[in-house]
Amino acid sequence: MKLERTDVGLVIHSARDYDLRFWWRTRGRERRFREQLVELARLEPGESVLDVGCATGSLALVAKRGVGPAGAVHGIDPSPAMVARARRKAGRARLEIELETGVAQDLPYADGTFDAVLCAFVIHHLPH
């Protein structure tokens, strides 16, 4: 898996490998795992959600299903390859998700923009 240490933390660029490894590590239960995370967030239809470190968009897709067509989901990740794969997955699923390249330490959103913020498997990638 292609990794890069930067001043913003450890960035993963191997989007396909990331999905395969995560599927393998969860023994094929990745989708259920992500659904449980969204259930814990208690998202409501129409809410606005941010997925920090969205990687290939799997959690953002589940969140979008949770907030429905009236809700909004944004995802941000430092890897252009991850964001590109997330966009392809959202397109195949016919779900509208705003995805962009950026870092957790410098989010381009105003305070109070989101009803909920999701962040899974990211903290260990950030610098101290």
Side-chain angles (χ1 to χ4, degrees):
M1 187 175 326
K2 184 178 176 196
L3 302 172
E4 174 188 18
R5 289 201 184 279
T6 70
D7 59 339
V8 298
L10 185 64
V11 179
I12 301 172
H13 293 289
S14 307
R16 183 177 174 272
D17 288 348
Y18 175 86
D19 279 345
L20 288 172
R21 285 175 185 246
F22 201 87
W23 180 88
W24 184 80
R25 286 184 179 146
T26 61
R27 295 180 173 89
R29 296 184 300 246
E30 176 194 3
R31 185 176 185 153
R32 182 64 193 134
F33 170 77
R34 304 229 189 250
E35 288 169 348
Q36 287 176 327
L37 287 177
V38 169
E39 286 171 17
L40 288 170
R42 296 185 175 127
L43 300 180
E44 297 289 332
E47 288 187 320
S48 182
V49 178
L50 173 62
D51 182 4
V52 178
C54 67
T56 64
S58 297
L59 183 58
L61 292 170
V62 175
K64 179 60 179 171
R65 290 182 185 105
V67 298
V73 174
H74 294 253
I76 189 165
D77 196 273
S79 169
M82 293 288 196
V83 171
R85 186 165 174 100
R87 285 185 178 131
R88 288 191 301 274
K89 288 167 78 172
R92 282 193 307 269
R94 295 189 173 116
L95 293 173
E96 187 176 327
I97 298 173
E98 295 295 324
L99 297 154
E100 61 185 287
T101 303
V103 297
Q105 299 92 319
D106 189 23
L107 296 174
Y109 311 105
D111 289 349
T113 300
F114 301 101
D115 298 301
V117 177
L118 305 174
C119 184
F121 304 107
V122 173
I123 300 301
H124 61 282
H125 290 281
L126 301 177
H128 296 291

